Amino acid sequence: MAPTRDEQHWMYRNMVTSRRFEETIAKIYFEGKSPAFNMANGPIPGEMHLSDGQEPVAVGVCAHLTPEDVVTATHRPHHRAIAKGVDLDKMAAEIFGKATGLSGGRGGHMHLFDADVNFACSGIIAQGMGPAVGAALSRKMQGKPGVAVAFVGEGAVNQGGWHEAMNLAAVWNLPFVCVIEDNAWGISVAKSAATAVPTNDVRAAAYGIPGERVEGNDPFAIYEAAGRAIARARAGEGPSLIEVETYRLAGHFMGDAEGYRPEGEKDGLFEKDPIPAMRARLLKDGAASEEELAAIETESEARVEKAIQFARNSVDPAPEDALTRVFAA
Amino acid sequence: MAPTRDEQHWMYRNMVTSRRFEETIAKIYFEGKSPAFNMANGPIPGEMHLSDGQEPVAVGVCAHLTPEDVVTATHRPHHRAIAKGVDLDKMAAEIFGKATGLSGGRGGHMHLFDADVNFACSGIIAQGMGPAVGAALSRKMQGKPGVAVAFVGEGAVNQGGWHEAMNLAAVWNLPFVCVIEDNAWGISVAKSAATAVPTNDVRAAAYGIPGERVEGNDPFAIYEAAGRAIARARAGEGPSLIEVETYRLAGHFMGDAEGYRPEGEKDGLFEKDPIPAMRARLLKDGAASEEELAAIETESEARVEKAIQFARNSVDPAPEDALTRVFAA
Amino acid sequence: MTKSNERKLTIARAMAEATAQEMRIDPSVFVMGEDIAALGGVYGNTRGLLDEFGAERIRDTPISETAFIGAAVGAAQDGMRPLVELMFVDFFGVCFDAIYNLMAKNIYFSGGNLKVPMVLMTSTGGGYSDGGQHWQCLYGTFAHLPGMKVVAPSNAYDAKGLMTAAMRDDSPVVYMYHKGLQGMGWLGTEAGATVHVPEESYTVEIGKAKVVREGRDVSIVSVGMGVHNALKAAKKLEEKGISAEVVDLVSLVPLDRETIRASVAKTGRLIVVDEDYQSYGLSGEVIASVTEHDISVLKAAPKRVAFPDVPIPYARVMEQFCLPNPDKIVAAWDEMGALQPA
Amino acid sequence: MTKSNERKLTIARAMAEATAQEMRIDPSVFVMGEDIAALGGVYGNTRGLLDEFGAERIRDTPISETAFIGAAVGAAQDGMRPLVELMFVDFFGVCFDAIYNLMAKNIYFSGGNLKVPMVLMTSTGGGYSDGGQHWQCLYGTFAHLPGMKVVAPSNAYDAKGLMTAAMRDDSPVVYMYHKGLQGMGWLGTEAGATVHVPEESYTVEIGKAKVVREGRDVSIVSVGMGVHNALKAAKKLEEKGISAEVVDLVSLVPLDRETIRASVAKTGRLIVVDEDYQSYGLSGEVIASVTEHDISVLKAAPKRVAFPDVPIPYARVMEQFCLPNPDKIVAAWDEMGALQPA
Ligand SMILES: Cc1ncc(C[n+]2csc(CCOP(=O)(O)OP(=O)(O)O)c2C)c(N)n1
Ligand SMILES: Cc1ncc(C[n+]2csc(CCOP(=O)(O)OP(=O)(O)O)c2C)c(N)n1
Ligand SMILES: [Mg+2]
Ligand SMILES: [Mg+2]
């Protein structure tokens, strides 16, 4: 089932928003960090993991989700958060460590939590899996609608927690989908050096559930595979697993020189940038006019601009508020 | 490849030794524990997990191993220890908590370590996997002969550590075999309630390695499957996985009333006791005479008797020796 | 002091009763863990629940602690109130990320926008020769890390009230029960733990210590099984004419430093009894909490009677050598006398 | 005091140098962990090793800490001497069983018949806004549990010598290096950690603390980054005419209580500085170690300057509010004065 025209526009819009957001973040990230690059400095301190190139996965999956559905993400959360509908102003403010941020600056870039749209993260590899499975269990027990999707990297699939959660979701037949973003690298370690099988869709057999592999970082193909898996979950038919080939256009984190990449690999990737590709395709298919695309782009940029301004203009948290919100109010 | 006549005798001898050993342990375990059953009392305190019924797995696998090969076992270690050639006197003394035990009483029944035959345990589910894989790595790196076998229960296969170790062994192509003893139960939880697939051999596909399932708790079939896997490992062709259907004739631990078992299940099991079955088969096949079998039985009993006497006659450790051997000498 | 209308319960039954009462009034409560359904929990604390509430709400799990504790976090964030069991605290090593990095921190990471109303119950302690991977206490390990409340009842009354309080708390609570206090005969059991328990539901405040015996000469501070050792030691000391006060911490987090300090301010002497490993744990924290506050109240150097810094040995004679007991507490008093400043 | 022939190294380079020197003389040494080969370790401590020793001995692993740390235990028991990296100490929650139940206990469980000569190196600490799952210290967590030696260098000289000593030890050693001391500019770095390091191989004794600054009025005891904060505070106190002694613990297990006690016996006052969470950890243990030994030496109640018992906040202002720093140490001194017994 192909995405509708509206869905295609939605997907393009969210891809562009995510990219513009990260481009802006990337620029600001270097403020205060020169001449000497020191992560601790500037308006956006700490590690920064960008998702440039991986946007198709987020939008292809989240096109099927509503706010009541649950998503968990990883250390690389922006594209997923944006596609899931996390408040962009508060998200930007969180990344700036401001009082108006999603958690008032307590969480930061790797810990984006938005209860309004059921979005959560963990910076520990594969540790978004358990909570997503638990949310799926909760919906099933409460008889409430909603599926849970855990996004993980291909490197996470070798982590014990991944396996346990897949088995649990399967044995309890929960409305859960695991989406593996295979960007071929776990920091500097190539998938082939870490994973005993070439593609992780075959690992679905270990849980008696459907597994699919989507090649080519293609938003439409992702949309279709995700649609099948999510429909299955909604129908009470249990979990599935999807592995998507995608590309990490940025380094693992900002500051990563990527000396470990084989010569030339990176250049090839930029040619496959999914955003221009989707743009061209929408035009070619007649799914959007140049004007419509330009409007989407302008609107996305404006949204990003607004969020960044909101973040910049927000105040710092009171230092001593560090001691609050450890326990529920 | 079927076991030779000698191997068949060896297998029967070790099955009988294990069974007699455990029968004796079981009897002594209740000494000092009546009228009120209190685990802490008697010459053998603590939890006690017997392997009655599972002996075929240990002997079918260990028939292919030499002392230089490495075995790791679990909370249910006796049959594997005996088949691997762990010193029975010291093992009995360890279970009695005596100074002459394998570790001078520090380890106990769930922590049998015999460096002479490369045997180790962990009482934590699936945590024998990593050390076995590491031993396999060590042999490969040192260019020394030897394979490593990790025995686990079917319940352990749902533990994250199991998955990680399988992947690591496969991606590094190590001389490792995982043997899953499927006794259908993890304490009171049936395999079907815990494991998303009916048989775990299919999980080999997740690591791109061979997986086999052996039905019927048949020592000969186990011998053959293990022979293939171990030969493969010795030849440098990498790891494999074998799941063996077996039966837990005892409770999970001594004192377990097994109220969770479906009515009548247990009776059926006793009819399938593998020791009388193997005895009958050896006679039928002409692989052993009644006299030979009787001799094996007498000899096994004597060996057990001697070990138990050794244990009983040994002295307690000095209490303050609890504080020693924390670090290497 | 036994009254005829007293209803004595074991801790195991008190825990199960509190759970059942909450489950009756709150459909969002459910229980999950290994062997908690048909078996009723290895330590009896979920006995009877499967029959009353069925397999949907009393869920046996695979041996997958990372997954099911992580799942409890996700369910708790989604409106449920899971009571989840880690069968032995010793197994925390296979699943601690789900506990200390998810369960304990997600409220904070969400800036308080999420609640994580879950209880992690886990068995601790021993002294029944279960060896080095099966009867640690690990109080210090759990109490050291922020974001979890930690309770450890010494008797059935507190066990029931703490369980109810924990289940009603919107923050994660680690509920550490002691195997030797459960009232399971096969583990040996401390008779003093089986006490009168009211039938109706009630709570015991989390974060409040109790003076369970008043005294003048020394404060013996402990938790769980240690409280019973302390009470026995106090009797022995009484025979020598020494009046010992016993403080049951009840909760490790929040730690009720006021009650500890008030007791020591009165007695001038402190002995901490801890079945957990001695260094970097509970015993050091209690001593530091007193001494950093005011050293002038102390008439002697404080003492600890704790498990030495070695893995738990299996052999009974070694194991008992390591465990705290009343005699060691009395001996600590004796040494303390000698160390009194002139 | 800089001599012209001094060869200053960062801790990262000192660690790599020690490792390379051991690998040259001992073929059983190998390194494994995530991103330790081509990348040279996220914190630079394995840089250059892949080129010299190749991918067999410098092994990148899958993201499978339980498996590869467990594998290191198995290899160590089988004649190898693995140096294994847990990239951030914060990740211990996914693999702690392999660490504390296998690595730390197998010597004991084997009654000393096995050696487990392995080093687990892991990055700790921060202050660079990496949030609540990426820069904990967890000193107390590791030091509380028996069977592992635990070291934490504050400078490159000790870093090299401790690494060599750890690699030669037949028992497991946890080697906790601090990100802020690594000499990686992108983390900001403490200049005082980059010191003269002899080219030749040498060892620094595990279990021996160092008095890194002599003083008369107060003992400031710390480890890792805290030592630099203590030294800076000592300078500030000097300006006020107060003479502070600084003790660098160097090792947390074994803990050199003698040196701590001797220092406090001399100065009569104790401030413990700890970047780890305050309660149930290092700060309490140091205070208890002093006070249980002899309270008469103390002229004032001991003080701690530690990370409060909250998850680590991301926002810089909150983060810095929580971190120990020289000013807080000076403030502790000031408060201490007021608390002096009459
Ligand atoms: C348990 C754990 N181990 C290691 C890390 C450090 N780490 C952060 S990201 C990363 C690589 C993850 O690779 P992948 O899952 O493919 O995700 P990607 O970064 O490619 O999005 C690693 C090893 C971690 N956060 N958690
Ligand atoms: C990590 C962990 N979780 C739980 C346990 C408690 N436990 C001990 S044995 C057991 C059942 C194991 O089942 P299986 O792996 O099938 O082995 P079996 O007992 O049948 O031999 C459980 C849950 C444990 N020892 N370790
Ligand atoms: Mg990746
Ligand atoms: Mg089983």
Side-chain angles (χ1 to χ4, degrees):
Chain A
M1 206 192 54
T4 65
R5 197 174 196 279
D6 275 1
E7 284 174 324
Q8 293 184 31
H9 289 207
W10 181 92
M11 285 163 68
Y12 183 67
R13 179 180 305 113
N14 278 279
M15 283 172 60
V16 172
T17 305
S18 180
R19 182 67 62 88
R20 294 293 164 268
F21 183 75
E22 292 203 332
E23 284 168 352
T24 312
I25 292 285
K27 214 177 304 152
I28 299 169
Y29 186 71
F30 283 111
E31 287 177 21
K33 293 194 180 68
S34 58
F37 177 77
N38 175 346
M39 227 179 229
N41 295 334
I44 303 178
E47 281 184 81
M48 177 53 60
H49 310 85
L50 301 179
S51 58
D52 300 30
Q54 304 188 194
E55 300 91 347
V57 196
V59 300
V61 173
C62 293
H64 301 281
L65 302 180
T66 71
E68 83 192 351
D69 295 313
V70 175
V71 162
T72 65
T74 69
H75 58 286
R76 197 181 302 288
H78 300 161
H79 56 320
R80 297 133 178 184
I82 288 169
K84 186 61 175 63
V86 169
D87 185 304
L88 197 65
D89 292 358
K90 290 188 191 168
M91 175 172 149
E94 186 64 27
I95 294 169
F96 277 73
K98 295 298 180 74
T100 54
L102 288 167
S103 73
R106 290 176 188 77
H109 145 74
M110 283 191 270
H111 308 289
L112 303 175
F113 282 73
D114 189 343
D116 292 343
V117 296
N118 291 299
F119 185 86
C121 290
S122 173
I124 307 296
I125 296 302
Q127 287 293 96
M129 293 286 294
V133 169
L137 171 64
S138 161
R139 296 307 167 86
K140 193 178 179 191
M141 289 184 73
Q142 295 185 62
K144 285 207 304 194
V147 301
V149 177
F151 287 91
V152 298
E154 91 297 334
V157 176
N158 301 317
Q159 179 74 206
W162 182 85
H163 169 69
E164 291 191 8
M166 289 306 300
N167 180 67
L168 194 67
V171 80
W172 286 352
N173 200 46
L174 300 178
F176 170 74
V177 178
C178 175
V179 177
I180 303 165
E181 297 192 25
D182 175 10
N183 62 10
W185 293 93
I187 310 186
S188 71
V189 181
K191 185 188 192 187
S192 57
T195 307
V197 285
T199 63
N200 280 307
D201 52 335
V202 304
R203 289 183 163 173
Y207 316 104
I209 61 170
E212 260 197 75
R213 163 99 183 163
V214 181
E215 303 288 349
N217 206 20
D218 172 358
F220 289 73
I222 298 164
Y223 176 92
E224 291 185 26
R228 282 187 289 275
I230 291 166
R232 218 180 104 81
R234 289 204 203 283
E237 290 161 22
S240 335
L241 172 171
I242 301 170
E243 180 171 73
V244 182
E245 183 195 18
T246 187
Y247 318 120
R248 196 186 80 197
L249 298 183
H252 171 70
F253 49 40
M254 289 192 64
D256 178 2
E258 295 190 87
Y260 49 81
R261 287 244 203 201
E263 191 106 27
E265 183 181 278
K266 211 56 191 291
D267 309 333
L269 288 190
F270 285 114
E271 284 159 28
K272 298 198 259 181
D273 187 331
I275 292 185
M278 184 162 187
R279 192 179 208 286
R281 180 159 173 186
L282 290 177
L283 285 171
K284 187 169 134 268
D285 291 355
S289 67
E290 182 60 51
E291 294 67 42
E292 284 173 310
L293 294 176
I296 288 174
E297 288 152 9
T298 311
E299 185 202 315
S300 300
E301 269 154 41
R303 207 176 141 218
V304 167
E305 188 51 31
K306 171 174 163 288
I308 299 291
Q309 280 317 321
F310 175 79
R312 283 219 195 253
N313 295 337
S314 292
V315 295
D316 280 336
E320 62 276 14
D321 278 357
L323 308 181
T324 62
R325 312 279 169 95
V326 178
F327 295 114
Chain B
M1 207 193 51
T4 63
R5 198 172 195 280
D6 274 3
E7 285 175 323
Q8 293 183 34
H9 289 207
W10 182 91
M11 286 164 69
Y12 184 65
R13 179 180 305 113
N14 278 279
M15 283 172 61
V16 171
T17 304
S18 180
R19 182 66 63 88
R20 293 295 164 267
F21 182 76
E22 292 203 332
E23 283 168 353
T24 313
I25 290 285
K27 215 176 307 152
I28 299 169
Y29 186 72
F30 283 112
E31 287 177 20
K33 292 194 180 68
S34 59
F37 177 76
N38 174 347
M39 228 179 229
N41 295 334
I44 303 178
E47 280 183 81
M48 177 53 60
H49 309 86
L50 301 179
S51 57
D52 300 29
Q54 303 188 194
E55 299 91 345
V57 196
V59 300
V61 173
C62 293
H64 300 281
L65 302 181
T66 70
E68 83 192 351
D69 295 313
V70 175
V71 161
T72 65
T74 68
H75 57 286
R76 197 181 302 289
H78 301 160
H79 55 321
R80 297 133 178 183
I82 288 170
K84 186 61 174 62
V86 169
D87 185 303
L88 197 64
D89 291 359
K90 290 188 191 168
M91 175 172 151
E94 185 64 28
I95 294 168
F96 278 72
K98 295 297 179 74
T100 53
L102 288 166
S103 73
R106 290 176 189 77
H109 146 72
M110 283 192 270
H111 307 289
L112 302 176
F113 283 72
D114 189 343
D116 293 341
V117 296
N118 290 299
F119 186 86
C121 290
S122 173
I124 307 296
I125 296 302
Q127 287 293 94
M129 293 286 293
V133 168
L137 171 65
S138 161
R139 297 307 168 88
K140 193 179 178 189
M141 289 184 73
Q142 296 185 60
K144 286 205 303 191
V147 301
V149 177
F151 287 90
V152 298
E154 91 297 334
V157 175
N158 300 317
Q159 178 74 207
W162 182 84
H163 170 69
E164 292 191 7
M166 289 306 300
N167 180 66
L168 194 67
V171 81
W172 286 351
N173 200 46
L174 300 178
F176 170 73
V177 178
C178 175
V179 177
I180 303 165
E181 297 192 26
D182 175 12
N183 62 11
W185 293 93
I187 310 186
S188 72
V189 180
K191 185 188 192 188
S192 58
T195 307
V197 285
T199 63
N200 281 306
D201 52 336
V202 304
R203 289 183 164 175
Y207 315 105
I209 61 170
E212 260 197 75
R213 163 99 182 162
V214 181
E215 303 287 349
N217 205 20
D218 173 358
F220 289 73
I222 297 164
Y223 176 93
E224 292 185 26
R228 281 188 290 275
I230 291 166
R232 221 181 102 80
R234 289 203 202 285
E237 290 161 24
S240 335
L241 173 172
I242 301 170
E243 180 170 73
V244 182
E245 183 194 18
T246 187
Y247 317 119
R248 196 186 81 197
L249 299 182
H252 171 72
F253 49 41
M254 290 192 64
D256 179 2
E258 295 188 87
Y260 50 81
R261 288 245 202 198
E263 190 108 28
E265 183 181 277
K266 211 55 192 291
D267 309 333
L269 288 190
F270 285 113
E271 284 159 28
K272 299 199 257 181
D273 187 331
I275 292 185
M278 183 160 188
R279 192 179 208 287
R281 179 157 172 190
L282 290 177
L283 284 173
K284 188 170 133 269
D285 291 355
S289 66
E290 182 60 51
E291 293 67 44
E292 283 173 312
L293 294 176
I296 288 174
E297 287 153 9
T298 311
E299 185 201 315
S300 300
E301 268 154 41
R303 206 176 140 216
V304 167
E305 186 52 31
K306 170 174 164 286
I308 299 290
Q309 281 317 320
F310 175 79
R312 284 218 195 254
N313 296 336
S314 292
V315 295
D316 280 336
E320 62 276 15
D321 278 357
L323 308 181
T324 63
R325 313 278 168 95
V326 178
F327 294 115
Chain C
M1 283 227 321
T2 319
K3 285 175 257 136
S4 58
N5 63 348
E6 265 197 351
R7 192 185 68 126
K8 285 200 176 193
L9 288 191
T10 62
I11 289 187
R13 284 170 153 281
M15 289 170 71
E17 183 169 281
T19 305
Q21 287 175 341
E22 282 307 289
M23 290 188 76
R24 282 178 207 129
I25 60 175
D26 186 346
S28 66
V29 177
F30 71 105
V31 187
M32 79 181 146
E34 291 155 16
D35 305 287
I36 55 96
L39 194 69
V42 173
Y43 300 109
N45 41 305
T46 55
R47 207 157 280 177
L49 298 179
L50 177 65
D51 285 346
E52 181 172 352
F53 301 104
E56 266 293 297
R57 292 180 73 193
I58 306 295
R59 295 195 160 247
D60 272 338
T61 61
I63 310 173
S64 308
E65 290 86 356
T66 290
F68 72 74
I69 297 175
V73 175
Q77 292 172 182
D78 197 55
M80 301 296 285
R81 304 186 82 88
L83 169 60
V84 56
E85 171 146 302
L86 176 64
M87 190 192 284
F88 291 69
V89 74
D90 314 66
F91 307 160
F92 86 106
V94 301
C95 58
F96 206 45
D97 193 78
I99 297 171
Y100 102 107
N101 259 341
L102 295 176
M103 181 186 89
K105 293 182 184 163
N106 278 0
I107 291 176
Y108 195 75
F109 288 155
S110 76
N113 291 317
L114 284 177
K115 295 171 180 172
V116 184
M118 64 181 275
V119 182
L120 179 76
M121 59 181 167
T122 188
S123 75
T124 65
Y128 59 101
S129 285
D130 216 3
Q133 294 178 332
H134 280 80
W135 70 264
Q136 297 163 96
C137 279
L138 304 183
Y139 296 136
T141 302
F142 279 73
H144 179 52
L145 297 164
M148 332 174 228
K149 301 183 183 179
V150 181
V151 301
S154 70
N155 62 68
Y157 179 88
D158 288 350
K160 179 172 175 181
L162 286 171
M163 180 56 87
T164 304
M167 287 195 290
R168 291 182 186 172
D169 203 304
D170 283 337
S171 301
V173 179
V174 179
Y175 186 106
M176 304 180 95
Y177 60 90
H178 192 291
K179 282 170 255 170
L181 302 177
Q182 279 299 90
M184 311 291 279
W186 54 273
L187 283 172
T189 202
E190 168 54 52
T194 300
V195 299
H196 172 63
V197 174
E199 228 152 320
E200 65 281 7
S201 198
Y202 61 93
T203 60
V204 164
E205 189 182 340
I206 295 174
K208 193 90 201 72
K210 294 183 178 180
V211 175
V212 292
R213 184 186 205 276
E214 304 230 359
R216 287 178 320 273
D217 299 325
V218 57
S219 301
I220 312 179
V221 175
S222 194
V223 73
M225 180 62 91
V227 173
H228 299 280
N229 281 321
L231 288 168
K232 286 171 195 163
K235 279 217 183 103
K236 292 188 180 221
L237 288 169
E238 191 171 273
E239 287 162 23
K240 298 194 185 196
I242 295 140
S243 162
E245 176 146 311
V246 176
V247 178
D248 180 346
L249 292 173
V250 183
S251 297
L252 302 180
V253 179
L255 178 62
D256 183 358
R257 293 183 170 87
E258 303 306 308
T259 298
I260 302 169
R261 287 170 182 159
S263 176
V264 179
K266 181 171 77 172
T267 64
R269 290 184 185 80
L270 170 64
I271 299 172
V272 189
V273 180
D274 185 12
E275 197 177 314
D276 192 12
Y277 304 115
Q278 171 155 326
S279 294
Y280 299 91
L282 169 64
S283 60
E285 183 58 29
V286 171
I287 290 174
S289 296
V290 168
T291 54
E292 73 185 340
H293 180 67
D294 184 358
I295 49 167
S296 71
V297 300
L298 283 174
K299 297 182 195 145
K303 281 273 173 191
R304 26 188 181 180
V305 177
F307 202 95
D309 296 323
V310 304
I312 296 175
Y314 163 75
R316 193 150 182 82
V317 291
M318 289 172 151
E319 177 193 74
Q320 296 300 317
F321 174 80
C322 293
L323 271 174
N325 62 35
D327 287 339
K328 290 187 185 179
I329 300 170
V330 172
W333 163 267
D334 291 343
E335 287 169 39
M336 205 171 224
L339 285 176
Q340 278 181 46
Chain D
M1 283 227 322
T2 318
K3 283 174 260 139
S4 58
N5 63 347
E6 265 196 351
R7 191 185 68 126
K8 285 199 175 192
L9 287 191
T10 62
I11 289 188
R13 285 171 151 279
M15 289 171 70
E17 183 169 280
T19 305
Q21 287 175 341
E22 283 306 289
M23 290 188 75
R24 281 179 208 130
I25 59 175
D26 186 345
S28 66
V29 176
F30 72 105
V31 187
M32 73 180 152
E34 291 155 14
D35 305 287
I36 55 97
L39 194 70
V42 173
Y43 300 108
N45 41 306
T46 55
R47 206 156 280 176
L49 299 179
L50 177 65
D51 286 345
E52 181 172 353
F53 301 103
E56 268 292 298
R57 292 180 73 192
I58 307 295
R59 295 194 160 248
D60 272 339
T61 61
I63 311 173
S64 307
E65 290 84 357
T66 291
F68 71 76
I69 297 174
V73 176
Q77 292 172 183
D78 197 54
M80 301 296 285
R81 303 186 83 88
L83 169 60
V84 56
E85 171 146 302
L86 176 64
M87 189 192 286
F88 291 70
V89 73
D90 313 66
F91 306 160
F92 86 106
V94 301
C95 57
F96 206 45
D97 193 78
I99 297 170
Y100 102 106
N101 259 339
L102 295 176
M103 180 186 89
K105 293 182 184 163
N106 278 0
I107 291 177
Y108 195 76
F109 288 155
S110 75
N113 291 317
L114 283 177
K115 294 171 179 173
V116 184
M118 65 181 275
V119 182
L120 180 76
M121 59 181 166
T122 187
S123 76
T124 65
Y128 59 101
S129 284
D130 216 4
Q133 293 178 333
H134 279 80
W135 71 264
Q136 297 164 96
C137 279
L138 305 183
Y139 296 135
T141 303
F142 279 73
H144 179 51
L145 298 164
M148 332 175 229
K149 301 183 183 179
V150 181
V151 301
S154 70
N155 63 67
Y157 179 88
D158 288 352
K160 179 171 174 181
L162 287 171
M163 180 55 87
T164 304
M167 287 195 289
R168 292 182 185 171
D169 204 305
D170 284 336
S171 301
V173 179
V174 179
Y175 186 106
M176 304 179 95
Y177 59 91
H178 192 290
K179 282 171 255 170
L181 303 176
Q182 279 299 89
M184 310 292 278
W186 55 274
L187 283 172
T189 201
E190 168 54 52
T194 300
V195 299
H196 172 64
V197 175
E199 229 151 318
E200 64 280 7
S201 197
Y202 61 93
T203 59
V204 164
E205 189 182 341
I206 296 173
K208 192 92 200 70
K210 293 184 178 180
V211 175
V212 292
R213 184 187 206 276
E214 304 229 0
R216 287 178 318 273
D217 300 325
V218 58
S219 301
I220 312 179
V221 175
S222 194
V223 73
M225 179 64 90
V227 173
H228 298 279
N229 281 322
L231 288 169
K232 286 171 196 164
K235 280 220 182 102
K236 292 187 182 225
L237 287 169
E238 192 171 271
E239 286 161 25
K240 299 193 187 198
I242 295 141
S243 161
E245 176 146 314
V246 176
V247 178
D248 180 347
L249 292 174
V250 184
S251 298
L252 302 180
V253 178
L255 178 62
D256 182 358
R257 293 182 170 87
E258 302 306 309
T259 298
I260 302 169
R261 287 170 182 159
S263 176
V264 180
K266 180 171 77 173
T267 64
R269 290 183 184 82
L270 170 64
I271 299 173
V272 189
V273 180
D274 186 12
E275 198 176 315
D276 191 12
Y277 304 113
Q278 171 155 327
S279 294
Y280 300 91
L282 170 65
S283 61
E285 183 58 29
V286 170
I287 291 174
S289 296
V290 168
T291 53
E292 73 185 341
H293 180 66
D294 183 358
I295 48 168
S296 71
V297 300
L298 283 174
K299 298 181 195 146
K303 281 274 173 190
R304 28 188 180 179
V305 177
F307 202 95
D309 297 322
V310 304
I312 296 175
Y314 163 74
R316 192 149 182 83
V317 292
M318 289 171 150
E319 177 192 75
Q320 296 300 319
F321 174 81
C322 293
L323 270 175
N325 62 34
D327 288 338
K328 290 186 184 179
I329 300 169
V330 172
W333 164 268
D334 291 342
E335 287 169 38
M336 205 169 222
L339 286 175
Q340 278 181 45

